[in-house]
Structure formats: C-alpha cells, structure tokens
Amino acid sequence: MPADRFYVDADLTGRLSLVGAEHHHLAHVMKVRLGEEIEVVNGRGALAKAKVLAISKHDAQLEVLSSSQTPLSPPLLTLAIPLMRPVKLELIIEKCTELGADAFWFYPAHFSEKGDLSPHQQERIKLIAISAMKQCGRLDLPALKTLARFEDLFTTPANHLFGDTRVKGPFSPPKGPSVFITGPERGFSEQELELLDKKAIGVCLHRNILRAETAPIAATAYFFGNSL
C-alpha cells in the first residue's frame, strides 16, 4: 500500500480539506501529525504530495507541495452485478477494484437477494472502492451506478458478455469497452436469458459453477490477467 495516501474529490492544487472517513483515517488511524507530508489522490489520475497544516475535530487542512497527472486509459471493463447482500458486494468491489475493473453497475435481477441499496449502503460501497483504490496504488476511482431495470444493461454501446453455464471452454476477452454481466445466486430467469441470448455473448468463466460473488472476480481476472 502506498504510504499515507488519502482521497480528496477535488483538483489537487492549493489548499485542501480532508473530511469524513478520510479525516478519521488520517487523525485516528494513521495518527498523522502536523507538518508531516502525505500523498493525496482524487480518483481522476492526479497524485499530489501535501503537508498537513492543521487537524481539528472535524477536518484536516492540507497544503499541496507538488502534483502530477497521469493520463487515464479509456474504460475497458464494466461489471454488471445483480443486487445482493452488501457484504458480498463489498467483497466484489474491493477485489475487482484491485484487479482493475473500471466501473460497477448494480441491477435488479428477478432472483436478486435485495431490491435496492440504502443511501448508507451505497456510501459504504463507495468507501470500499476508495480504500481499495488507495490500497492497490491505482489513480482512478471506478464509477458506481445503480440501474433501474435489467434492460438498462444494454443501453450503452459496448461488447456485452455474460457468464453462461451452458457454454464450455475458455474465452478470450474482446477488444474495446465491455460490459460483463454476472447473475444472482439462483441464476438468470428465463426472461433474462432470452434477452441475454439476443443482446450479449455467453461465455464460460470456469468449469465449475461460481457463486454470485466469485463470478465478477473471475471475469475481472480474465480481462486483466496479463496486465503488468
């Protein structure tokens, strides 16, 4: 993990303020002191070195000493995941962010374990993504979006693939932006499979049937397995 790295959703210039979970992490977990230098990222390719000017009960004030901007590659992989128990979603977000997934879409499947995510659960998942981004050293924060309908998975031009237990043998990730759709624990419904067969390509992720939280991780590993 990059030492003492923190996230601020802002341009990394001038003076910055750390609040919320990032302030808590700096003041109470890492116990950073006044005058110390830390790294700051904004999830949009920027990395800065900053000096801690003040720490109060509610925030920490920083002064940017230097910064750099890394050009970000176009998004390659969006994971479309059925709504499920938050503890499973948190595992997926953490591991797939580390492996390189560019975005996460949460959709309501016929056999979803949950119908929606509360504001608190959505915020918790975002914090998991931020933590994983900092932990693995990447400079881009994956986008998170909740879809209203299963059909909304196909509104964006891309290669659409889905985990299909009817298919055997390995697959090669296609070139260009891709949306990989994984199903809930009980699988896709007949209506969902009918639409998937029309709009997407079914592929085999593994010779065994994978759990709902394992399939997205396997799909991400397929796409980025050769990344160095």
Side-chain angles (χ1 to χ4, degrees):
M1 175 180 178
D4 297 345
R5 182 169 286 189
F6 299 88
Y7 168 78
V8 177
D9 184 13
D11 294 334
L12 302 186
T13 59
R15 293 201 175 187
L16 304 172
S17 179
L18 280 185
V19 297
E22 293 299 292
H23 165 255
H24 175 82
H25 187 65
L26 178 140
H28 303 292
V29 179
M30 300 303 296
K31 299 186 184 300
V32 176
R33 298 181 180 181
L34 295 181
E36 289 191 31
E37 295 181 3
I38 61 173
E39 290 184 341
V40 183
V41 295
N42 66 359
R44 303 192 294 270
L47 171 64
K49 180 177 289 186
K51 182 178 181 179
V52 180
L53 297 179
I55 303 175
S56 71
K57 183 177 180 180
H58 301 292
D59 66 4
Q61 297 299 314
L62 314 175
E63 180 181 15
V64 174
L65 304 176
S66 62
S67 64
S68 61
Q69 179 71 39
T70 299
L72 299 180
S73 302
L76 176 64
L77 175 63
T78 294
L79 289 173
I81 307 164
L83 290 167
M84 61 183 78
R85 286 183 291 167
V87 66
K88 294 182 179 181
L89 289 179
E90 291 173 12
L91 174 67
I92 294 169
I93 297 301
E94 179 182 75
K95 301 310 176 187
C96 293
T97 296
E98 293 176 13
L99 288 169
D102 298 293
F104 298 91
W105 292 352
F106 309 113
Y107 71 89
H110 288 168
F111 298 138
S112 284
E113 297 177 0
K114 286 182 62 67
D116 57 16
L117 294 172
S118 70
H120 173 75
Q121 290 167 341
Q122 294 179 39
E123 181 63 20
R124 168 69 179 168
I125 287 172
K126 181 179 178 181
L127 292 177
I128 293 292
I130 292 171
S131 177
M133 173 189 67
K134 297 188 298 179
Q135 174 77 29
C136 71
R138 64 186 285 183
L139 298 178
D140 57 315
L141 180 65
L144 304 172
K145 182 167 69 171
T146 301
L147 306 181
R149 306 177 307 152
F150 183 78
E151 292 78 6
D152 293 339
L153 294 171
F154 307 100
T155 57
T156 301
N159 301 304
H160 288 82
L161 303 95
F162 69 100
D164 191 349
T165 58
R166 302 168 299 178
V167 176
K168 303 300 179 184
F171 79 97
S172 296
K175 294 182 179 180
S178 298
V179 175
F180 199 104
I181 305 162
T182 61
E185 203 69 45
R186 293 171 57 192
F188 296 111
S189 68
E190 291 184 7
Q191 298 94 324
E192 290 166 343
L193 275 175
E194 183 178 352
L195 185 57
L196 286 167
D197 286 335
K198 292 178 180 178
K199 300 283 190 177
I201 299 173
V203 299
C204 175
L205 283 172
H206 198 275
R207 65 178 181 273
N208 299 329
I209 297 175
L210 303 180
R211 297 185 71 94
E213 65 270 30
T214 308
I217 300 173
T220 310
Y222 252 110
F223 271 80
F224 298 103
N226 294 323
S227 297
L228 297 176

